Amino acid sequence: GQTPVFPRILGHEAGGIVESVGEGVTELVPGDHVLPVFTGECKECAHCMSEESNLCDLLRINVDRGVMIGDGQSRFTIDGKPIFHFVGTSTFSEYTVIHVGCLAKIDPEAPLDKVCLLSCGISTGLGATLNVAKPKKGMTVAIFGLGAVGLAAMEGARMSGGSRIIGVDLNPAKHEQAKKFGCTDFVNPKDHTKPVQEVIVEMTDGGVDRAVECTGNADAMISAFECVHDGWGVAVLVGVAHKEAVFKTHPMNFLNERTLRGTFFGNYKPRTDLPGVVDMYMRKELELDKFITHSVPFSQINTAFDLMLKGEGLRCVIRMDE
């Protein structure tokens, strides 16, 4: 957030059970299993009515707002003073209060300690490939950045039947892990003297069919675009760049029929589409368990942050009931 609000309860990737509902809420009842999502779906605005967008006018992500949208008040207090909300979810808490438009009702049989991953990062990467890049069976796909989001994009390439899936990362340790997600080739830009896009174009005899960038680094974004094949190549940007970042490429790259696309939350409409992604997991088409490398009780949440900062593991699931 550019204007930090404190104190606030963070957390936005979770799964939970509805404890009670407020006045006027008809879509959910106590006992429903839900995924809270940092960006909502009111189902009434121009974006929600469009088949092509998931950027709800009312409930799209707002990192600065620390209160409920209805009355402008917080639902958390300590010693009579407010504690503020975070992106409408505030899931680092045993209980939270969330706008109904930011909750996706899911199959109650789905294990919440697995499908919680779908409420943010995994859906973002998976959808970038399945919904936006849309590789056909047998295509070559390059994934830039092999964190959890990048590996979710790679999982999408594996599910699509990619013939060659190239992982690109500055950390050589990421290669072994990526093999579980379908990685057939690994490129570390530091191992080469020429730009990585040139390396990939040579490796693939003209470029990959699809590229998905999951780093937030503008240079990686440019490389992802410039490594796709002319005539039909599509590059998709997922990473969030810093405020001053600039994307620079020669216009000829577009004239030669390459396509550059952006995506937000994998182009999934949270309430409409996430139940179907959960069903993909339940049908064993989507593998989620391999993203979970650690699990700790809520009292040890700082251990989870330490693991994240060290870059150890992909997802650490926090168990609220201990």
Side-chain angles (χ1 to χ4, degrees):
Q2 304 306 319
T3 53
V5 180
F6 292 103
R8 75 199 309 191
I9 295 174
L10 300 173
H12 72 283
E13 191 172 271
I17 300 171
V18 177
E19 182 265 348
S20 56
V21 297
E23 190 181 337
V25 173
T26 56
E27 299 94 327
L28 295 170
V29 296
D32 281 345
H33 286 218
V34 291
L35 297 181
V37 186
F38 64 95
T39 188
E41 182 186 353
C42 74
K43 298 198 174 184
E44 294 175 356
C45 70
H47 282 279
C48 286
M49 300 298 280
S50 164
E51 290 181 8
E52 298 184 13
S53 175
N54 65 346
L55 301 174
C56 176
D57 280 328
L58 180 69
L59 298 168
R60 76 169 67 179
I61 186 170
N62 183 322
V63 292
D64 300 329
R65 185 174 59 234
V67 294
M68 296 296 287
I69 208 165
D71 61 2
Q73 302 292 312
S74 169
R75 295 295 184 271
F76 303 109
T77 58
I78 184 165
D79 299 330
K81 294 177 185 160
I83 306 176
F84 295 102
H85 297 244
F86 174 67
V87 295
T89 53
S90 291
T91 57
F92 291 155
S93 166
E94 292 94 340
Y95 290 87
T96 186
V97 182
I98 299 179
H99 191 290
V100 66
C102 295
L103 290 168
K105 181 181 173 181
I106 62 164
D107 179 357
E109 297 295 315
L112 289 173
D113 61 348
K114 304 288 194 298
V115 296
C116 58
L117 273 63
L118 294 173
S119 84
C120 181
I122 306 309
S123 295
T124 296
L126 184 73
T129 301
L130 297 182
N131 299 335
V132 189
K134 296 181 180 174
K136 297 183 176 77
K137 188 172 184 189
M139 281 189 165
T140 54
V141 184
I143 308 292
F144 286 72
L146 303 181
V149 175
L151 290 174
M154 187 172 278
E155 174 75 358
R158 181 194 69 77
M159 291 167 65
S160 301
S163 62
R164 197 169 177 192
I165 301 173
I166 302 167
V168 183
D169 203 285
L170 296 170
N171 180 352
K174 297 286 180 75
H175 184 195
E176 200 55 40
Q177 195 169 44
K179 289 178 183 175
K180 295 180 196 166
F181 299 83
C183 185
T184 59
D185 301 76
F186 180 81
V187 178
N188 184 339
K190 289 196 286 198
D191 293 343
H192 302 272
T193 51
K194 62 175 103 173
V196 69
Q197 54 266 50
E198 291 180 21
V199 174
I200 292 171
V201 166
E202 283 181 16
M203 279 172 67
T204 54
D205 194 23
V208 290
D209 303 307
R210 302 288 186 264
V212 185
E213 176 281 327
C214 304
T215 70
N217 178 294
D219 290 333
M221 295 177 183
I222 295 163
S223 296
F225 176 57
E226 293 183 352
C227 82
V228 300
H229 206 290
D230 58 3
W232 60 78
V234 178
V236 179
L237 305 186
V238 179
V240 180
H242 67 80
K243 282 188 297 186
E244 282 80 42
V246 175
F247 185 98
K248 200 171 175 184
T249 192
H250 198 283
M252 207 66 202
N253 289 322
F254 291 100
L255 290 173
N256 285 333
E257 299 173 11
R258 293 176 183 87
T259 301
L260 180 64
R261 297 198 58 185
T263 176
F264 177 74
F265 191 54
N267 280 35
Y268 285 119
K269 289 179 183 280
R271 298 162 78 187
T272 301
D273 298 332
L274 277 193
V277 184
V278 170
D279 292 343
M280 282 164 58
Y281 169 72
M282 296 297 280
R283 292 194 302 266
K284 295 187 167 54
E285 295 163 22
L286 164 64
E287 298 171 9
L288 280 181
D289 300 44
K290 60 192 176 186
F291 287 96
I292 300 169
T293 50
H294 300 82
S295 177
V296 297
F298 191 27
S299 59
Q300 292 173 28
I301 187 170
N302 285 344
T303 303
F305 276 103
D306 292 340
L307 288 165
M308 182 182 73
L309 290 168
K310 287 182 200 155
E312 291 180 17
L314 293 172
R315 279 292 183 268
C316 179
V317 172
I318 292 168
R319 303 187 300 275
M320 286 291 175
D321 52 0
E322 293 180 33

